[in-house]
Amino acid sequence: MTTMLEVAKRAGVSKATVSRVLSGNGYVGETTRARVFKAIEESGYRPNLLARQLATRKSQTLGLVMTNTLYHGSYFSELLSQAARMAEERGRQLILADGKHSAEQERQAIQLLLDLRCDALIIYPRFLSPDEMDEIIASHRQPIMVFNRRLRKNPSHCIFADHRTTCFNAVDHLIRQGHREIAFVSGTQGSPTSLERLSGYQAALLQHQLPVDPALIIGGCWTPESGCQAARQLLANGRPFSALVAANDNMAIGAMKGLHEAGIAVPQQISVLGFDDTPTAPFTIPSLSSVKIPVSDMIAETVSKLIAMLDGGELNNRNDFSGELIVRDSLAPGPYIKK
Amino acid sequence: MTTMLEVAKRAGVSKATVSRVLSGNGYVGETTRARVFKAIEESGYRPNLLARQLATRKSQTLGLVMTNTLYHGSYFSELLSQAARMAEERGRQLILADGKHSAEQERQAIQLLLDLRCDALIIYPRFLSPDEMDEIIASHRQPIMVFNRRLRKNPSHCIFADHRTTCFNAVDHLIRQGHREIAFVSGTQGSPTSLERLSGYQAALLQHQLPVDPALIIGGCWTPESGCQAARQLLANGRPFSALVAANDNMAIGAMKGLHEAGIAVPQQISVLGFDDTPTAPFTIPSLSSVKIPVSDMIAETVSKLIAMLDGGELNNRNDFSGELIVRDSLAPGPYIKK
DNA sequence: ACAGCATAGGAAACCGGTTTCACAAAATCA
DNA sequence: TGATTTTGTGAAACCGGTTTCCTATGCTGT
């Protein structure tokens, strides 16, 4: 590989001058500049970014830590493509590290990105607690934003959707529409997002003095398969219900299939609601009602904040996003509707 | 940040010794080693990977170039998560760069990853031609694998599924099942994968002496919306057809919706076939028949080959993968079935 | 007792850039 | 015209590691 020194020799100048030409810093004469460009051109020189990053102590990269299991579903695609686009627009490269299956691996992923000297980090925690996130933020000088988790000690370092309230509102809506026996299919065991949604579901029932029946709460794992099985199990349980809320659209789609197979009409007999508003939601049969989480906006805000911290722009202080219930054909009034 | 020099001082040794302790190369006494570890521990030292990469001229990273528009759909998630997992298993970090919307940007993305001194590259070309890919491979000493594109000059540097033959076989199957008027919904204009599938579709028709009717070929853009619109337009065209092949599942799902809205029964009146075998395909109503492309296997093979090139393992020579038709409820025999 | 080798560790060069410092020439100012 | 500032450039230090080279010691074998 051609180095800067070789370019310098070819142009009859010093390394320093070549560096000045490339960076645009410092004074360089017109003719010299031209000679340097010619030498660069002729030699096919390409700067070694690693050397540059080392020398400047800036890597021009943003690190993103998230967990592989999230990769499935449109949620992840949307998040990642938007984050990458935003980063590149601001002249940064996105580097992704997988938090895998445990808190320890999540910590390692963060450490790796820090060791790679990312200028800033986006962490979408799956296993690490808010307290640990607070500590990580406190103990590193790089700007760090935490995605999808509320940090009370570091409100300006997190962007989140209030899944609990959002789910509360959705279930509240179902109840007002005449549903009382509402089943809930959760995501993978331990997922914070799923737990928040479950909590909102329970709170809404309690709010209306309705019982929280454990037989109506089934553990899934975000996949359509698990949603389908959950529906079957709910039916097998024998406990009647008029609405089913799944913690994401994929499971909702699976659940609709399970109900369909059992000869149950959606929404006439059972209403179904999902979360995330997957691109295919409007095209299922019947079209799936869902709670849309503004992932793109959220990640855009996250990246913007980080860049502002790095480049010193001004940052607006929005960190709390909320979902929007999108009613489609999979919802119908329940048996207890009062006119 | 603590540097190696500070650790060395604290342990009363030289930088070189610390480096030896960390890398495990060269001789280090037991007691010295212990002192160094203690110093590292006490100072919270973390090696600067950039410096290491520069010094060793190895970055331990694999670069992946692909286009943002592919991000949607499970295809991308599967590809990316598998690639990242494989890379990390072999001690490499994956770096992603977006090829965006033009050949020029695709070239820039490749260049960026090379400038970052990725040890090897995976390129999923969208705009660059096979010839250009051959040239890129020839002009760089880093191992480069091209994904989803056949390179006749560099057969060992590419992994691909033969979309043309795969689609040919699928359409051939439909014809044998009694379909003659078969509609085709293509992906985004210019997409090589879509073009290959279209070509296979046409070839299968010709093979059976069936006419290729332009009125039955509609341009979509990989999204469910476009599939739905395509179905509407096909119906509006008035040209009858008994089967619809969409270049991916998302469009097939949209198309089923469009047909359903028009009161057409799938598969009784029209059969529908997609590509990719999305996780939701078995759960649509009716369940969607699809051609499964072994993306995970393909990318695993790609990464394996690169690692073998880097670390000098042996490489098996499989590069040609093919899709598998998965028949579900959306397919039924056509009107020309002969018993 | 001495050659020969394995062990241990320091000094310094190196990776390929950026940046500081020093200095000279040219331009501006008084 | 002399003093000062601006412009243009090279030498060398630096970023934080790795690696080569070299020296010194302790063992082994004879």
Side-chain angles (χ1 to χ4, degrees):
Chain A
M1 287 255 89
T2 323
T3 77
M4 188 171 260
L5 187 59
E6 301 176 65
V7 171
K9 279 186 191 156
R10 185 190 284 259
V13 299
S14 71
K15 274 201 316 184
T17 299
V18 177
S19 176
R20 286 184 191 113
V21 169
L22 256 52
S23 67
N25 299 329
Y27 299 108
V28 180
E30 244 344 289
T31 60
T32 312
R33 179 188 311 276
R35 278 216 315 287
V36 169
F37 274 130
K38 186 154 161 288
I40 289 176
E41 185 71 24
E42 287 173 3
S43 59
Y45 168 73
R46 291 258 95 206
N48 183 326
L49 297 188
L50 292 177
R52 178 179 295 171
Q53 290 170 357
L54 177 61
T56 58
R57 274 156 309 242
K58 281 179 194 141
S59 68
Q60 308 291 5
T61 57
L62 299 187
L64 171 62
V65 178
M66 59 186 291
T67 295
N68 225 327
T69 58
L70 283 170
Y71 284 21
H72 300 291
S74 65
Y75 196 77
F76 164 75
S77 314
E78 194 178 342
L79 171 49
L80 182 63
S81 66
Q82 176 76 345
R85 183 183 320 123
M86 291 280 301
E88 293 192 22
E89 267 172 20
R90 315 297 184 85
R92 258 91 176 182
Q93 180 64 23
L94 192 76
I95 299 187
L96 183 66
D98 185 0
K100 299 188 186 152
H101 319 298
S102 70
E104 184 48 32
Q105 290 174 311
E106 206 163 84
R107 256 179 240 114
Q108 280 174 15
I110 295 171
Q111 195 55 255
L112 172 66
L113 295 181
L114 289 169
D115 291 349
L116 280 168
R117 297 300 189 266
C118 286
D119 294 336
L121 253 51
I122 302 169
I123 303 176
Y124 188 150
R126 166 64 223 276
F127 301 101
L128 295 174
S129 68
D131 285 348
E132 284 178 281
M133 294 313 308
D134 282 327
E135 206 222 298
I136 288 171
I137 291 172
S139 58
H140 295 283
R141 66 184 194 319
Q142 291 91 340
I144 294 178
M145 287 292 298
V146 172
F147 192 82
N148 198 38
R149 199 74 73 249
R150 167 177 235 144
L151 300 182
R152 296 187 194 280
K153 288 185 206 150
N154 279 297
S156 60
H157 287 260
C158 60
I159 293 283
F160 59 91
D162 187 339
H163 297 299
R164 186 175 185 280
T165 303
T166 295
C167 187
F168 177 95
N169 291 337
V171 174
D172 180 70
H173 175 265
L174 290 180
I175 296 170
R176 289 177 195 282
Q177 289 293 306
H179 293 279
R180 286 198 197 162
E181 291 86 14
I182 303 175
F184 186 87
V185 183
S186 69
T188 309
Q189 175 105 38
S191 151
T193 299
S194 177
L195 288 172
E196 282 185 59
R197 287 179 182 161
L198 177 59
S199 161
Y201 157 82
Q202 293 167 327
L205 290 177
L206 291 176
Q207 172 90 2
H208 289 269
Q209 277 105 38
L210 293 172
V212 174
D213 185 344
L216 288 181
I217 300 178
I218 302 276
C221 61
W222 299 127
T223 63
E225 286 85 347
S226 69
C228 186
Q229 279 172 14
R232 288 191 195 125
Q233 193 180 332
L234 282 166
L235 295 175
N237 281 354
R239 183 82 173 74
F241 58 99
S242 66
L244 183 154
V245 175
N248 78 348
D249 279 1
N250 269 350
M251 294 192 296
I253 288 170
M256 286 206 295
K257 183 72 174 184
L259 296 173
H260 180 82
E261 282 175 352
I264 291 171
V266 176
Q268 293 78 5
Q269 294 174 265
I270 293 184
S271 290
V272 175
L273 175 65
F275 277 83
D276 294 350
D277 193 35
T278 308
T280 52
F283 299 95
T284 59
I285 298 170
S287 62
L288 178 63
S289 307
S290 187
V291 176
K292 182 186 180 65
I293 310 292
V295 186
S296 277
D297 294 346
M298 288 169 65
I299 197 71
E301 182 64 23
T302 307
V303 175
S304 293
K305 275 212 168 113
L306 283 181
I307 303 278
M309 290 167 164
L310 289 172
D311 299 350
E314 62 207 56
L315 26 94
N316 74 52
N317 264 332
R318 179 158 188 218
N319 62 353
D320 185 351
F321 288 72
S322 56
E324 177 195 0
L325 176 65
I326 297 177
V327 177
R328 300 201 181 90
D329 302 341
S330 69
L331 291 188
Y336 303 96
I337 185 85
K338 41 201 169 199
K339 243 297 125 84
Chain B
M1 288 255 86
T2 323
T3 76
M4 187 172 261
L5 187 58
E6 301 176 65
V7 171
K9 281 187 189 154
R10 183 189 285 260
V13 298
S14 72
K15 273 202 316 182
T17 300
V18 178
S19 177
R20 287 186 190 113
V21 169
L22 256 51
S23 67
N25 300 328
Y27 298 109
V28 181
E30 244 343 289
T31 61
T32 313
R33 181 189 310 276
R35 279 217 314 286
V36 169
F37 274 130
K38 184 153 163 287
I40 288 176
E41 187 71 24
E42 287 173 4
S43 60
Y45 168 74
R46 292 256 93 208
N48 184 326
L49 296 188
L50 292 178
R52 177 177 295 172
Q53 291 171 356
L54 177 60
T56 58
R57 273 160 310 249
K58 281 179 192 141
S59 68
Q60 307 290 5
T61 57
L62 299 188
L64 171 62
V65 178
M66 60 186 291
T67 297
N68 225 327
T69 56
L70 285 170
Y71 285 18
H72 299 292
S74 63
Y75 196 77
F76 165 74
S77 313
E78 194 178 342
L79 171 50
L80 183 62
S81 67
Q82 175 76 343
R85 183 183 320 123
M86 291 280 301
E88 293 192 21
E89 267 172 20
R90 315 296 185 87
R92 258 88 176 185
Q93 179 64 23
L94 192 77
I95 299 187
L96 183 66
D98 184 2
K100 298 190 187 151
H101 318 298
S102 70
E104 184 48 32
Q105 291 175 309
E106 207 162 86
R107 255 180 241 113
Q108 281 174 15
I110 295 170
Q111 196 53 255
L112 173 67
L113 295 181
L114 289 169
D115 291 350
L116 281 169
R117 296 302 188 267
C118 286
D119 293 335
L121 254 51
I122 301 169
I123 303 176
Y124 188 152
R126 166 65 224 275
F127 301 101
L128 295 175
S129 69
D131 286 349
E132 284 177 280
M133 295 313 308
D134 282 326
E135 207 222 298
I136 288 172
I137 290 172
S139 58
H140 296 283
R141 67 183 193 319
Q142 292 90 341
I144 295 178
M145 287 291 297
V146 172
F147 191 83
N148 198 37
R149 200 73 75 248
R150 166 178 234 143
L151 301 182
R152 297 186 191 280
K153 287 185 207 153
N154 280 297
S156 61
H157 288 260
C158 60
I159 293 283
F160 58 92
D162 187 339
H163 298 300
R164 185 173 187 280
T165 303
T166 296
C167 187
F168 177 95
N169 291 338
V171 173
D172 180 69
H173 175 265
L174 291 179
I175 296 170
R176 290 176 195 280
Q177 289 292 306
H179 293 279
R180 286 198 195 160
E181 292 87 12
I182 303 174
F184 186 88
V185 183
S186 70
T188 309
Q189 174 105 39
S191 151
T193 298
S194 177
L195 289 172
E196 282 184 60
R197 288 179 182 162
L198 177 58
S199 161
Y201 157 84
Q202 293 168 328
L205 290 176
L206 292 176
Q207 172 90 0
H208 289 268
Q209 277 105 38
L210 293 172
V212 173
D213 185 344
L216 288 181
I217 300 177
I218 302 277
C221 61
W222 300 126
T223 62
E225 287 85 347
S226 70
C228 186
Q229 278 171 14
R232 288 193 195 121
Q233 193 180 331
L234 282 166
L235 296 174
N237 281 354
R239 184 80 174 74
F241 58 99
S242 65
L244 182 154
V245 175
N248 76 349
D249 280 0
N250 270 350
M251 294 193 297
I253 289 171
M256 286 207 294
K257 183 72 173 183
L259 296 174
H260 180 82
E261 281 175 352
I264 291 172
V266 175
Q268 294 79 6
Q269 293 174 266
I270 293 184
S271 290
V272 174
L273 175 65
F275 278 83
D276 293 349
D277 193 34
T278 309
T280 52
F283 300 94
T284 58
I285 298 171
S287 61
L288 178 63
S289 307
S290 187
V291 175
K292 181 185 181 66
I293 309 293
V295 186
S296 278
D297 295 344
M298 288 169 66
I299 197 71
E301 182 64 23
T302 307
V303 175
S304 293
K305 275 212 168 114
L306 284 181
I307 303 277
M309 290 168 162
L310 290 172
D311 298 349
E314 63 207 54
L315 26 94
N316 74 51
N317 264 332
R318 178 157 190 220
N319 62 353
D320 185 349
F321 288 72
S322 57
E324 177 195 1
L325 176 64
I326 296 178
V327 177
R328 299 200 182 90
D329 302 341
S330 68
L331 290 189
Y336 302 94
I337 184 85
K338 39 198 164 196
K339 246 291 124 103

